Amino acid sequence: MSFGGQPVGSLLFARSLLGLRNGHAVCSLHQPQTCPDMTSESHHACTHDHADHSHDHAQGHDHAHDGHDHSHDHDHDSCDGHSHGFGFGHQHVHAPASFGRAFAIGIVLNTAYVIAEALWGVWAHSLYLLADAGHNLSDILGLGAAWLAESLARRAPTTRFTYGLRRSTILAAFVNATVLLLVTGGIIWESIVRLFVHTPVEGMAVSWVALVGIAVNAVTALLFMKGASNDLNIRGAFLHMASDAMMSFAVVIAGLLIAWTGFQIIDPIVSLIVSASIIVATWSLLKGSVSLSLDGVPAGITPEDVQTALLAVPGVGGLHHLHIWPMSTTETALTVHLVREETSHQTSEQIITQASVILREKFGISHPTFQIESTPASCDLHQACC
């Protein structure tokens, strides 16, 4: 069978993320344009859909692209033969609330604490307090990076960055995990040195400073606790603050024990224990951010489950070229070829609508792109047709 003089096999999912298919630019919400080679009626349908639907660009798009219906029955919701399902596809999943206020409060609190700790360190001639102030400065930079990434992720897409700058949140999570591990590595090194070269520690003075640090870091960590479970970028900020609160608590305990017993070795031992727990907590953040950076399937989504759910949609007889990848630390995209059963009474638009609902409600995938086929023309080299 052929379509437009070309074999069906050549009409598969050959398009870029900009929405190019078979040499024609698919109508895009971010790149409104006239669909080439369309009748005046189909062009009206395309432009009408863009005019009648408001779009929240900060929340992403469900691009439900109808592929090549071999019956050539193009409805009024189609552009160049690709049904976009505008009626449903742009009822977006709500984006997470902004943490801008939390970032601002956290940065102000930690900046004030760093300045006070540095001044106290100079006054008391305490190298430990000055070093800790430098460590806490890295927390401020980490919060700033996460805040910047969150802000960039909310920028509207452009013709160059067609998905916007959402991936900056993934980079920020990676940077925060890396910095946290490097800082913790420095603490471990210093602790090992102090196991053999005892350095006098003013137990009570250090404990008082650490108490203030517990309050500042704990309050800041609580500001990000709500978003830490489902946003890797926010989780990075949360871990920064929570790990510092743990370290400050350990310093209080160590300071009191040193003041009571006089055993200076308590300080490095406690530091090593806490550092080990921080590494364990941070390793998952680093692993997750690297996986997302390499377009790994986001945690919590199993491709086999997605495949099973799509095959259960009425009218779907098979699928192939299933790809799932992260657009940011909170948004997921999917592309797939769905093979419509020849005996099915389901229209392409009905299949797309039902599939979109399942992906959004069951898997949280808010950016699906579909191509509907009557028969599978070819399969992915690494994925068998289902």
Side-chain angles (χ1 to χ4, degrees):
M1 177 176 278
S2 64
F3 181 72
Q6 302 180 39
V8 172
S10 68
L11 293 174
L12 285 175
F13 204 40
R15 58 123 180 97
S16 68
L17 293 179
L18 292 176
L20 298 179
R21 299 188 183 188
N22 307 315
H24 298 301
V26 177
C27 295
S28 169
L29 295 176
H30 305 315
Q31 300 163 320
Q33 53 192 304
T34 301
C35 295
D37 302 333
M38 294 195 307
T39 64
S40 59
E41 181 182 11
S42 61
H43 173 62
H44 171 73
C46 173
T47 54
H48 171 77
D49 281 338
H50 281 281
D52 288 353
H53 293 81
S54 60
H55 311 290
D56 184 352
H57 295 285
Q59 296 178 0
H61 302 279
D62 282 356
H63 293 287
H65 299 289
D66 186 355
H68 299 288
D69 183 348
H70 293 274
S71 66
H72 298 238
D73 182 13
H74 302 281
D75 57 28
H76 291 287
D77 290 333
S78 300
C79 278
D80 193 25
H82 303 275
S83 174
H84 294 264
F86 289 141
F88 167 81
H90 298 286
Q91 298 174 10
H92 306 292
V93 177
H94 293 291
S98 172
F99 285 85
R101 183 178 181 183
F103 281 117
I105 294 174
I107 289 176
V108 169
L109 287 176
N110 280 271
T111 299
Y113 177 60
V114 166
I115 294 174
E117 188 175 31
L119 291 176
W120 197 341
V122 172
W123 176 77
H125 303 286
S126 172
L127 182 60
Y128 170 82
L129 292 180
L130 291 175
D132 191 55
H135 163 68
N136 288 321
L137 181 61
S138 71
D139 294 336
I140 298 174
L141 298 177
L143 287 176
W147 190 6
L148 176 61
E150 190 198 38
S151 300
L152 291 176
R154 293 179 177 276
R155 288 190 177 183
T158 65
T159 54
R160 180 173 178 80
F161 297 100
T162 56
Y163 275 142
L165 299 174
R166 291 176 173 85
R167 276 184 176 264
S168 57
T169 57
I170 299 176
L171 295 177
F174 174 75
V175 169
N176 265 327
T178 303
V179 170
L180 194 53
L181 287 175
L182 288 175
V183 170
T184 304
I187 294 174
I188 291 175
W189 175 259
E190 180 64 21
S191 298
I192 293 175
V193 171
R194 290 195 177 193
L195 285 174
F196 304 98
V197 180
H198 300 309
T199 302
V201 177
E202 293 293 334
M204 291 306 297
V206 169
S207 294
W208 281 112
V209 174
L211 276 174
V212 178
I214 291 176
V216 171
N217 293 311
V219 169
T220 306
L222 289 174
L223 295 174
F224 299 106
M225 181 177 290
K226 184 178 180 180
S229 60
N230 52 22
D231 187 337
L232 208 62
N233 183 41
I234 301 301
R235 184 182 172 192
F238 170 78
L239 281 178
H240 250 299
M241 298 299 101
S243 62
D244 269 9
M246 289 175 56
M247 187 61 73
S248 295
F249 178 75
V251 169
V252 170
I253 299 301
L256 293 176
L257 288 176
I258 290 172
W260 182 44
T261 65
F263 294 152
Q264 300 292 330
I265 199 173
I266 292 176
D267 178 45
I269 291 176
V270 172
S271 295
L272 286 172
I273 294 173
V274 175
S275 295
S277 64
I278 292 175
I279 290 177
V280 172
T282 307
W283 183 253
S284 62
L285 175 64
L286 179 64
K287 183 180 178 181
S289 60
V290 170
S291 176
L292 294 184
S293 299
L294 298 176
D295 283 342
V297 177
I301 298 178
T302 304
E304 290 77 11
D305 293 340
V306 174
Q307 177 178 293
T308 300
L310 290 175
L311 288 174
V313 174
V316 175
L319 64 83
H320 57 102
H321 284 78
L322 172 62
H323 301 284
I324 307 169
W325 73 94
M327 294 176 62
S328 70
T329 52
T330 59
E331 298 174 275
T332 304
L334 172 148
T335 58
V336 65
H337 289 220
L338 298 178
V339 181
R340 185 172 60 184
E341 295 176 337
E342 294 183 1
T343 58
S344 174
H345 297 293
Q346 296 284 325
T347 66
S348 296
E349 194 67 26
Q350 289 173 329
I351 292 175
I352 288 172
T353 299
Q354 294 180 66
S356 296
V357 170
I358 291 174
L359 292 175
R360 183 173 60 176
E361 295 182 352
K362 189 174 182 180
F363 302 100
I365 298 175
S366 58
H367 295 260
T369 301
F370 304 98
Q371 179 160 313
I372 306 297
E373 300 170 347
S374 294
T375 56
S378 66
C379 297
D380 191 293
L381 293 176
H382 306 292
Q383 294 181 340
C385 290
C386 300

